[in-house]
Amino acid sequence: MKKSFLTFTLAASVLALSACSDSGDGEAIVTSDVGDITKNELYEEMKTSIGEQAIQILLIEKVLAEKYEVSDKEVNAEYDSNKEELGEEFDQFLAQNNQTEESYKKVIRLNLLQEKALTEGVEVTDEEIQDYYDRQGTELNARHILVADEETANSLKKQLDEGADFAKLAEENSTDTGSGANGGNLDWFGPGAMVPEFEEAAYGLEVDEISEPIASEFGFHIIQVLEKRQIEDQPALEDQKEELRTEIALSKADQTTLLPKVAELMKEANVKIKDEDLEGALDDILNPETPEAPAE
């Protein structure tokens, strides 16, 4: 399931609240024997806690929706995909995040708008799509040796090149205790199962080929692919070509360009905040601080 660019819980709450009724400020939205709560009281309370973030999220949605189009068909397709992926846990997922079908679709729409802003102008070739499709349809059976430092990894790679037994070196040296005790064997896995650096290296190997040391957040890996197999019942390329194009474009896009794009759209929209308590809500977006130059 795709991750939200904005904090999911906050974005979901704000977008849901934006759909509240437009009753008068003094009209009670909660009544009780101990006193009522008016819309204005709720507004003042929310302004103190999430007011600035709420303005940011709502305006990001508005300026992006003015420039980019996200259809109901796209939203429903993403919603159905998430529902299918989570299966029986989907209703629990909505409940844990205090979401309904309608409010969750609002979050999906905002996420899709941000995707379109990020991928605007990013070129993806048919060859890249074909390569990505082929990878999606392939599983690997591999083993690895994981160590903490590059020097150790290089030493082990030299031993392997000279004919040392991979499984024995994994059992004696790998810091991955789960696979290390099993000769480094990771069993079968597909795209998305491993960290990106590991996946990129593993899918670039031929069967029985041993990689150079590969750095990741966990340390340094030496990888050997033992077998490859095709995934059964993979959907036809033409049925998912545009979805794959978007995934590739997102992987190539510079995530840091999103806020500058949003800032430019906000400036063009001539935004004026009339509540003086929230006048600085957009400062972080419109006037981001530039890092100070290091002292000479």
Side-chain angles (χ1 to χ4, degrees), residues 27-251:
E27 184 177 338
I29 56 173
V30 176
T31 61
S32 75
D33 293 339
V34 294
D36 299 341
I37 298 174
T38 67
K39 188 176 182 182
N40 188 60
E41 287 175 320
L42 178 62
Y43 169 78
E44 291 297 328
E45 182 62 32
M46 287 184 57
K47 182 172 72 172
T48 303
S49 55
I50 61 166
E52 292 192 354
Q53 297 97 319
I55 284 180
Q56 291 174 6
I57 291 170
L58 292 173
L59 272 173
I60 287 172
E61 180 194 29
K62 288 182 183 295
V63 297
L64 290 179
E66 182 68 20
K67 182 169 183 180
Y68 306 99
E69 181 179 353
V70 172
S71 67
D72 290 343
K73 182 179 179 181
E74 291 175 285
V75 173
N76 290 333
E78 180 67 19
Y79 180 89
D80 292 341
S81 174
N82 292 348
K83 186 174 183 178
E84 181 180 355
E85 183 178 340
L86 290 175
E88 295 178 357
E89 297 177 1
F90 184 70
D91 289 339
Q92 181 182 356
F93 165 77
L94 291 182
Q96 286 176 340
N97 289 281
N98 297 316
Q99 293 300 296
T100 64
E101 177 178 339
E102 181 182 358
S103 64
Y104 185 47
K105 284 183 177 180
K106 285 178 176 288
V107 176
I108 291 174
R109 185 178 298 277
L110 176 58
N111 215 35
L112 292 175
L113 285 168
Q114 292 176 97
E115 284 184 9
K116 295 199 173 188
L118 266 175
T119 57
E120 183 180 35
V122 177
E123 293 186 5
V124 177
T125 66
D126 287 344
E127 183 180 1
E128 288 176 305
I129 295 174
Q130 183 66 56
D131 289 344
Y132 192 81
Y133 175 77
D134 291 341
R135 178 180 294 190
Q136 291 290 95
T138 303
E139 289 181 322
L140 305 179
N141 181 11
R143 57 185 179 179
H144 80 144
I145 303 172
L146 176 64
V147 293
D149 61 276
E150 189 173 12
E151 183 179 354
T152 303
N154 286 330
S155 173
L156 293 173
K157 177 61 166 63
K158 185 173 183 295
Q159 293 178 57
L160 290 167
D161 291 342
E162 294 171 351
D165 183 81
F166 195 108
K168 185 177 180 181
L169 286 184
E171 290 172 2
E172 294 174 349
N173 298 277
S174 185
T175 58
D176 180 355
T177 54
S179 69
N182 193 30
N185 204 310
L186 296 165
D187 210 346
W188 291 96
F189 62 88
M194 303 296 180
V195 291
E197 301 89 349
F198 187 104
E199 178 179 313
E200 191 67 29
Y203 272 90
L205 294 173
E206 298 297 330
V207 172
D208 293 331
E209 184 180 0
I210 298 175
S211 75
E212 296 297 324
I214 305 298
S216 81
E217 62 187 280
F218 299 106
F220 289 84
H221 309 259
I222 301 172
I223 309 164
Q224 183 180 35
V225 171
L226 303 174
E227 298 175 87
K228 295 184 180 183
R229 69 183 180 191
Q230 296 303 116
I231 296 173
E232 296 182 3
D233 303 323
Q234 184 187 18
L237 174 59
E238 291 305 314
D239 293 340
Q240 52 180 331
K241 192 169 186 178
E242 292 311 307
E243 180 182 343
L244 296 181
R245 186 185 302 277
T246 299
E247 287 184 24
I248 297 169
L250 280 171
S251 70

